[in-house]
Amino acid sequence: MKRKRIAALLLACGMLTGSLAGCGGGDSKDETLAESGAAGGGSGEVLTLMHYFDPNNPEDPYSVGFMALIDQFEKDTGIQIKLETVPWNEIESKLVMTNQSGNPTCDLSWVSSQKLSSLVNAGTLLPLDDYYAKLDTSGFIQQALDAATYAGDDKKYLVEMSVHSRGLWYNTDLVPEPPKTWDELVEIGQKVNDPANGVYAFAAYTPKSYDTAELYLAPFTWSAGGKLGNEDGTAAWDNEGARKALQFASDLKNKYGLMGDSCFVSDQSELRHNFLNGNVAMLLENTAQLAEINQSELGQAGKIKFAPIPGETGAAPCFTNGWSAAIPSHSKHPDLAWKFIEYMVQPEVQIAHSKFDGGLPILSECYEDEYFRSAQYPDIADNLAKNAGTMDPFVYYQEALESFSTVNMSYMMDPSQDLEAMLQSSAKEFNTKYYGS
Amino acid sequence: MIEKRSKLPYLFLAPVVLILLLFSYLPMPYSLYLSFNKLNPASGRYEFVGLANWRQMLMDSKFWESARNTFAYVIIFTVIMVVLGLLVALILNSKIPGTSFYLTVLFVPWVISEVIVGATWKWLLNPDFGVLNYLFGGLGIKCSDLITNPKFALVGVAIVAFWRGLAYTVILVLAGLQNVSNDYLEAASLDGCSKLQAFFRVTLPIFSPTLLVVTLLNMINAISQSGIILVLTKGGPVRATETMALYLYKEAFLNYQLSSAATMSIILAFVNMIVVAVYLAANKRNQEKEAE
């Protein structure tokens, strides 16, 4: 009987331990390549960096590249980096939740610059203006400075580490020369469109998501002389330019049949695979996918090229963003965190980082490097220099862009509706909810 | 002789109770607290705002849209599940050969995770490259409308959720059907009842408490359904499948509006509690009837 009780007690303890095994710790990796290879001596201070790559994966070029940068930083400063790995799509959530508890698990975090407004609205980020004042930003490209600035108070809350833009990727087997205007897009598209044989002329991610607006709805609107928001963050997409943009987007699908229904439901990766498999002739996509595109069969054969987004009468302005370094508002070591940021914005580090990141550097002098004159980089850099724009200054950024994208999707699904009325109603609803006006 | 009560059952219950306390019951008061407070981004502290969050939620058209979607989804899913689950259970109860094999096959979707189910069906229903459109396109049936057409998207999600959860309902219904004594059915047959009449006049009345419990359980599942919807449609097209559970998830984990999400979670919990209370009452009545 006693043995049975002991066995039962052990079993219960085992169940308890097993069920709590998923808690705590999480994805923190204390044993990192950095710690195992770190040089001794120096300040002995430890900086916790939250990032999305696996430091123990030697097959991942990003991991290998970033760890080399960390090693160098540790040798130069004596500051040790402790990495906390979180999946890329959970990093901001984890940052918000842990920071709100007053005890963030990191001193510095990689975040997507698109999430700036949402993160600041959640009180998550430390304003960096005092730190920026000590930094020479004369060599920064303007887009990097704009992306760091929160529309609500004009303060800077992050430092972009690389720049990604959007543009038109095209398959030269199907489209020898890219379109520059909407009319050319339709003309070229109609020549190659062949849905019966599984080839669509054009694809773009089109669900009711904020990235749909970033990808092409905003560029189309800007190229048609319209805007999405006012300086005070209120919605202003009930204008003629926005109406023209959404009408054209709808016509691409409904009038000309150049876009398939999969644009509504497929993920960006699925649309990209369709493009790389030769089922789509032209794809609007982020330049962050450059490495994957060039590793594909078509990419390796040199049959995929990059061009600016076609606008109403010429190249459309494109939206830019990038992974950025940000300091949690309750960070225990903000000064240490800034030291790492200062290191990362040095020209040689920016060049090294961009090579494994796939984005472009934030320093204009880096563009002179031979590497950025190869592959599609010259076209991407040229587009960035000539056409890059920043999103209208929304405080409720994701909510605003999602509202605008929802109007687009709704109209594309039923073009018999009154688009002008839809835009007016949507803008009014947004302004009433967030501004009481 | 007085029997000493064993403490062993409590020991085995301890891990589950601890987890429920930590992750379900203790966070509830905090959610209630959040619903009356709002984060001040400048100070990083929550400040009392009274009923402001509740007022904002009640004036939010997206909240009402998600509430309507939830209500519609619960009705559609429950009707499909109960009616078809009952039909399948009746077939299996008629002692056809291979019943065990069919039950095993039915259970295969049940053991697959919701994420994989959603992702697989998303590919099957892809409008341009999905196999279902390819197979049925020639008959003029556009299966992809189940995820691309706002009019049919809720039905589409319900069908996928039904495919996954059918086994669970069938098992419960089958257990209830097997409680209906054959003597009653034989007596009905002797009295000249057809099989259909026997079902509606004999089987259904005896079996109705179990059917009610099954219906309520499916309603509870439907109210909180989010995994399949998130993967299959992400609440689209155009918010057609954005239920309260999904809207709550978006507010909390994509927009980081914890106060707004907490307010909605209180409403959702309240709705769930009402249905659970009805379920417990029905279950108790069922047990009392069986005891008689």
Side-chain angles (χ1 to χ4, degrees), chain B residues 231-267:
Chain B
V231 178
L232 193 60
T233 59
K234 289 192 179 71
V238 206
R239 283 205 287 271
T241 58
E242 192 166 280
T243 56
M244 281 170 69
L246 206 63
Y247 187 34
L248 194 160
Y249 164 82
K250 256 181 45 181
E251 280 290 279
F253 299 109
L254 299 181
N255 295 335
Y256 316 127
Q257 298 292 323
L258 292 184
S259 296
S260 168
T263 312
M264 254 186 287
S265 74
I266 303 290
I267 303 270

Side-chain angles (χ1 to χ4, degrees), chain A residues 139-437:
Chain A
F140 279 43
I141 60 174
Q142 189 57 43
Q143 291 79 22
L145 295 171
D146 291 341
T149 309
Y150 172 59
D153 59 13
D154 280 334
K155 289 183 184 171
K156 291 182 175 47
Y157 285 86
L158 47 80
V159 182
E160 254 195 354
M161 288 291 129
S162 63
V163 183
H164 298 289
S165 61
R166 279 106 177 108
L168 186 77
W169 297 94
Y170 61 100
N171 179 343
T172 54
D173 273 350
L174 299 166
V175 178
E177 282 299 318
K180 294 178 189 59
T181 66
W182 288 356
D183 287 342
E184 285 181 17
L185 176 58
V186 172
E187 192 188 325
I188 292 169
Q190 284 175 323
K191 285 182 190 155
V192 301
N193 203 44
D194 190 7
N197 288 312
V199 176
Y200 278 95
F202 180 78
Y205 182 69
T206 307
K208 56 164 187 73
S209 169
Y210 69 90
D211 22 17
T212 302
E214 288 173 346
L215 181 63
Y216 73 104
L217 299 180
F220 277 4
T221 301
W222 296 330
S223 80
K227 64 177 181 177
L228 267 58
N230 292 315
E231 287 301 315
D232 60 359
T234 51
W237 53 72
D238 51 343
N239 57 73
E240 180 59 12
R243 191 204 63 77
K244 276 196 216 174
L246 267 56
Q247 184 64 60
F248 179 66
S250 170
D251 288 346
L252 281 174
K253 181 184 177 303
N254 297 310
K255 188 175 171 186
Y256 306 114
L258 304 181
M259 272 170 89
D261 284 346
S262 55
C263 294
F264 293 134
V265 296
S266 297
D267 291 335
Q268 283 155 321
S269 61
E270 289 160 4
L271 290 177
R272 194 162 56 250
H273 290 148
N274 292 342
F275 171 68
L276 296 176
N277 288 338
N279 295 113
V280 170
M282 296 178 278
L283 173 74
L284 280 180
E285 174 63 285
N286 198 325
T287 57
Q289 311 308 329
L290 175 63
E292 184 188 335
I293 286 170
N294 284 340
Q295 276 166 22
S296 68
E297 211 176 291
L298 284 174
Q300 285 178 16
K303 296 189 178 180
I304 296 184
K305 299 249 184 278
F306 178 85
I309 299 172
E312 192 185 17
T313 53
C318 70
F319 171 72
T320 66
N321 74 303
W323 282 100
S324 312
I327 303 176
S329 58
H330 295 302
S331 170
K332 291 179 182 61
H333 306 105
D335 291 344
L336 278 190
W338 185 254
K339 282 194 177 149
F340 188 75
I341 292 174
E342 278 182 319
Y343 164 75
M344 288 296 295
V345 299
Q346 293 174 90
E348 58 277 12
V349 176
Q350 273 287 299
I351 291 171
H353 178 260
S354 287
K355 285 180 180 175
F356 59 77
D357 175 77
L360 288 168
I362 64 167
L363 300 173
S364 46
E365 68 180 89
C366 299
Y367 289 70
E368 301 303 314
D369 189 273
E370 198 58 44
Y371 182 80
F372 298 109
R373 300 187 205 175
S374 66
Q376 296 94 336
Y377 275 117
D379 294 325
I380 294 172
D382 188 57
N383 184 45
L384 189 65
K386 291 179 183 164
N387 304 314
T390 49
M391 188 51 70
D392 296 22
F394 287 114
V395 171
Y396 297 98
Y397 179 88
Q398 284 183 170
E399 295 89 330
L401 297 191
E402 190 182 305
S403 295
F404 186 58
S405 299
T406 304
V407 174
N408 175 67
M409 193 179 182
S410 182
Y411 184 68
M412 274 178 130
M413 292 195 146
D414 181 8
S416 68
Q417 299 177 88
D418 182 343
L419 178 55
E420 203 172 316
M422 289 169 76
L423 286 167
Q424 280 170 0
S425 164
S426 169
K428 188 176 173 195
E429 190 184 307
F430 176 85
N431 290 337
T432 303
K433 179 174 178 179
Y434 294 105
Y435 294 93
S437 56

Side-chain angles (χ1 to χ4, degrees), chain A residues 5 8-9 11-12 15-16 19-20 23 92-93 96-97 100 115 118-123 198 200 205 208 260-267 270 274 279 330 396 398-399 402-403 406 409-410 413 429 433-434, chain B residues 8 11-12 14-15 18-19 22-23 39-41 43-44 46 56 59-62 122-123 126-129 142 144 147-150 232 234-239 242 247 250-258:
Chain A
R5 284 193 181 175
L9 185 64
L11 185 62
M15 282 166 64
L16 181 63
S19 52
L20 292 176
C23 308
E92 288 95 0
S93 306
V96 168
M97 302 304 165
Q100 280 195 5
K115 304 282 175 77
S118 302
L119 291 170
V120 175
N121 288 342
Y200 278 95
Y205 182 69
K208 56 164 187 73
D261 284 346
S262 55
C263 294
F264 293 134
V265 296
S266 297
D267 291 335
E270 289 160 4
N274 292 342
N279 295 113
H330 295 302
Y396 297 98
Q398 284 183 170
E399 295 89 330
E402 190 182 305
S403 295
T406 304
M409 193 179 182
S410 182
M413 292 195 146
E429 190 184 307
K433 179 174 178 179
Y434 294 105
Chain B
L8 220 51
L11 214 55
F12 279 110
L18 190 64
I19 289 169
L22 281 175
F23 295 111
L39 182 78
N40 181 336
S43 65
Y46 278 93
Q56 189 180 38
M59 285 170 51
D60 184 2
S61 60
K62 285 186 200 169
K122 195 172 153 192
W123 272 108
N126 187 285
D128 300 317
F129 308 107
K142 205 173 164 196
S144 59
I147 56 170
T148 59
N149 191 328
L232 193 60
K234 289 192 179 71
V238 206
R239 283 205 287 271
E242 192 166 280
Y247 187 34
K250 256 181 45 181
E251 280 290 279
F253 299 109
L254 299 181
N255 295 335
Y256 316 127
Q257 298 292 323
L258 292 184

Side-chain angles (χ1 to χ4, degrees), chain B residues 157-202:
Chain B
V157 171
I159 288 173
V160 173
F162 157 78
W163 177 84
R164 183 178 179 264
L166 177 63
Y168 178 69
T169 298
V170 165
I171 284 291
L172 292 174
V173 173
L174 208 51
L177 283 174
Q178 284 167 359
N179 273 338
V180 178
S181 170
N182 272 331
D183 295 342
Y184 296 127
L185 295 169
E186 276 175 21
S189 169
L190 285 170
D191 285 344
C193 273
S194 66
K195 280 200 172 158
L196 202 64
Q197 282 174 322
F199 172 74
F200 282 106
R201 302 278 177 93
V202 178

